[in-house]
Amino acid sequence: MANQRKFIYLDHNATGIPVPDEVLKEIAKWTKNGFNPSTDSKYAKDAKELIEKAKSDILARCGVSSLTHKIIFTSGATESNCFIIRACVTAFAKKIKSKDLIPHIVVSSVEHTSIIECVNKLVEAKEAEATFVRPTIIGNINPKDVEAAIRPTTCIVCVMFANNEIPVINNVRAIAEITRKKQVAYHCDCVQVFGKFPIKVAEFGLDSISASAHKFCGPKGIGISIISNQLIEEYGLVGEINGTQQNGLRGGTENVPGIGGTLVAYELAHKNRDKKNTHLLNLRRHMIELLKANFNIGKYENYALQSEQKKVQDFELLFLGPQDERFCLLNTLLLAFCKNTRRPFCNIELKRALDAKSIIVSIGSACNTSSSHASHTLVAIGAPQVVKQGVIRVSMGDSNTKEEVEKFVAELVKCVKKQVEKEIAIKAKEISQNQP
């Protein structure tokens, strides 16, 4: 299917494409079967069984079962994230029963905007206090900083598995050991890794996780929450959306077509997963080699958090995030084209130029591309303006090919040179006009 596309799609962290035919057929099948799974009609039996199978199979892939964990289908990871944070805050507030104490949240400052904004709203409403843990300049969260931020009133820690912009994977095991020792719930946004490799929830020590089906080429509008029974029972969690469905944790008639499509997409995503991951890693390595062959490569530490920049090239390319691929999201590169003469390099102009060549990339988080403000992730790692304005994110999927990577880099080189040469031409014209 990839070879039939008339464009090169390198924005899989925003949404995974193409949606497989098997997924589309499953969605159509359950759309035609319009029975409500909450009814006691014998014709609703198949829908009920589908939902139970989806829960059972996904939990099993995550190394747990319904004996120890609940799986809840939501409208997306945004709802899943907001639900667990708000539910924990509400439950914890009832538990401490004090007007002088309010629940406290520890959250990394590079979380997805759904978490950042949810926490900010709770703080603004004086329903919670929060400590935002800053990352290192490569974007990862130091577990010791998480531990230092935990208070006696901390009810939940939120640190994502892998960042959606900077291709960095956090040490979630170490963070989980800390939260377990401190008896604090640990919620982990797993959106960017769910479907790329199995998330062993209990083995990693995660109390709750969130995911979105469309990230692994499933239907949009379906999210996944997996929560330990222990957390539900000890905190006394209740649903934010009232109703009897899904153990009372998320009311409303289940989206049966979406759940059916999600299950098929999830199974397909994990089919030959090791081979697919090797393919993605090889594409990433090949892209890095080609970029290094065509651009001056700089070091981000020469830019980050410096009151006075160390000597840098007039124009160079930075690879943001960890350089050790063991700690990298294997399908993603965050590139920054830094121009230190005249006008800074413009990533918006570069994106438009690539769009004109039918090449799709991102200039930041999928939720920030329409915003005039810099990505909160780039702010958190101390990126100066010259870096922020030159960032593009390239995220590959299982369907991308080596030929697509090579064509992308070739067109990228042309687009970058055109923008840089235009600035040189403008400068030369100004010099000539100012001469007597």
Side-chain angles (χ1 to χ4, degrees):
M1 294 181 73
N3 294 330
Q4 297 173 2
R5 290 203 297 258
K6 295 181 180 179
F7 55 88
I8 297 176
Y9 185 73
L10 299 171
D11 197 16
H12 287 266
N13 284 9
T15 194
I17 66 168
V19 176
D21 291 339
E22 297 95 322
V23 174
L24 297 174
K25 288 177 182 177
E26 190 73 4
I27 294 170
K29 169 186 170 182
W30 292 106
T31 300
K32 290 177 181 178
N33 179 353
F35 294 101
N36 186 333
S38 295
T39 64
D40 56 7
S41 166
K42 67 178 181 179
Y43 297 106
K45 181 182 176 183
D46 288 346
K48 291 178 183 178
E49 290 179 349
L50 166 70
I51 293 171
E52 291 310 309
K53 176 175 171 51
K55 290 180 177 181
S56 176
D57 288 4
I58 294 173
L59 286 174
R61 183 78 71 173
C62 293
V64 293
S65 75
S66 60
L67 295 176
T68 58
H69 289 74
K70 296 285 187 295
I71 181 169
I72 305 164
F73 293 107
T74 66
S75 63
T78 290
E79 182 191 332
S80 296
N81 287 333
C82 293
F83 158 65
I84 192 65
I85 294 170
R86 289 184 175 276
C88 282
V89 167
T90 300
F92 200 79
K94 291 179 181 177
K95 193 175 179 182
I96 56 180
K97 297 178 182 177
S98 171
K99 293 181 180 179
D100 298 323
L101 297 174
I102 61 174
H104 174 250
I105 305 167
V106 174
V107 56
S108 89
S109 56
V110 289
E111 292 300 295
H112 188 265
T113 50
S114 61
I115 288 180
I116 297 289
E117 292 181 13
C118 178
V119 171
N120 283 338
K121 292 295 183 184
L122 288 167
V123 172
E124 288 171 14
K126 300 189 185 307
E127 295 178 44
E129 295 176 327
T131 299
F132 288 86
V133 179
R134 291 193 60 169
T136 67
I137 64 170
I138 65 170
N140 67 316
I141 300 299
N142 188 331
K144 291 182 179 179
D145 292 338
V146 173
E147 184 170 22
I150 294 174
R151 304 176 188 172
T153 53
T154 302
C155 64
I156 190 168
V157 168
C158 300
V159 178
M160 62 191 353
F161 203 112
N163 191 266
N164 47 305
E165 292 186 66
I166 303 174
V168 61
I169 294 175
N170 284 307
N171 189 348
V172 297
R173 288 179 188 270
I175 295 170
E177 287 176 7
I178 292 165
T179 57
R180 204 159 43 240
K181 181 177 68 176
K182 298 283 186 177
Q183 296 184 315
V184 175
Y186 178 19
H187 171 65
C188 189
D189 179 331
C190 293
V191 168
Q192 294 300 336
V193 292
F194 204 80
K196 291 187 176 74
F197 59 85
I199 304 299
K200 300 300 182 183
V201 176
E203 185 181 322
F204 284 126
L206 309 176
D207 295 301
S208 68
I209 71 168
S210 57
S212 271
H214 73 98
K215 300 294 186 178
F216 49 87
C217 298
K220 292 177 176 62
I222 287 286
I224 296 168
S225 286
I226 296 177
I227 311 171
S228 72
N229 291 345
Q230 183 178 356
L231 173 58
I232 294 169
E233 292 162 7
E234 287 186 358
Y235 273 40
L237 298 186
V238 296
E240 293 286 309
I241 299 175
N242 303 125
T244 59
Q245 293 87 351
Q246 304 201 73
N247 302 106
L249 291 170
R250 205 273 189 180
T253 302
E254 294 92 340
N255 180 350
V256 179
I259 293 171
T262 295
L263 178 58
V264 173
Y266 191 61
E267 290 171 343
L268 290 173
H270 282 285
K271 188 177 181 180
N272 299 318
R273 190 67 254 169
D274 289 344
K275 183 178 180 180
K276 291 173 182 175
N277 285 349
T278 299
H279 170 68
L280 287 172
L281 186 57
N282 287 337
L283 289 183
R284 189 178 191 274
R285 288 171 175 170
H286 188 49
M287 187 178 290
I288 290 172
E289 289 175 359
L290 294 174
L291 291 168
K292 286 182 175 179
N294 283 280
F295 296 103
N296 291 323
I297 306 300
K299 295 181 178 181
Y300 178 61
E301 55 263 36
N302 290 346
Y303 293 80
L305 306 172
Q306 297 286 341
S307 56
E308 293 184 13
Q309 289 185 17
K310 296 178 183 179
K311 187 175 181 181
V312 296
Q313 296 281 341
D314 289 341
F315 178 82
E316 56 190 14
L317 170 62
L318 311 181
F319 294 101
L320 303 187
Q323 302 306 302
D324 188 334
E325 65 183 23
R326 291 177 301 169
F327 310 115
C328 289
L329 200 56
L330 49 78
N331 73 317
T332 308
L333 285 171
L334 190 64
L335 310 173
F337 294 93
C338 295
K339 185 167 171 290
N340 296 293
T341 56
R342 196 178 160 76
R343 184 173 71 99
F345 193 83
C346 179
N347 59 357
I348 297 175
E349 188 175 327
L350 176 58
K351 187 178 187 304
R352 288 171 181 163
L354 290 170
D355 278 346
K357 300 289 185 179
S358 299
I359 298 172
I360 301 168
V361 298
S362 171
I363 55 173
S365 169
C367 298
N368 284 335
T369 50
S370 61
S371 172
S372 59
H373 301 290
S375 157
H376 68 280
T377 302
L378 296 178
V379 172
I381 64 169
Q385 194 64 18
V386 69
V387 173
K388 294 175 190 173
Q389 292 185 215
V391 164
I392 67 167
R393 182 187 68 186
V394 180
S395 51
M396 293 165 281
D398 299 337
S399 60
N400 286 123
T401 65
K402 183 179 179 182
E403 291 72 25
E404 287 179 324
V405 166
E406 291 171 350
K407 185 175 179 180
F408 159 68
V409 173
E411 294 296 342
L412 178 71
V413 170
K414 293 177 187 176
C415 294
V416 169
K417 286 184 176 180
K418 186 175 181 180
Q419 186 179 154
V420 174
E421 288 171 358
K422 183 173 75 172
E423 290 302 314
I424 294 172
I426 292 172
K427 181 66 175 176
K429 185 177 180 180
E430 288 179 350
I431 292 173
S432 64
Q433 288 175 344
N434 291 330
Q435 289 179 344

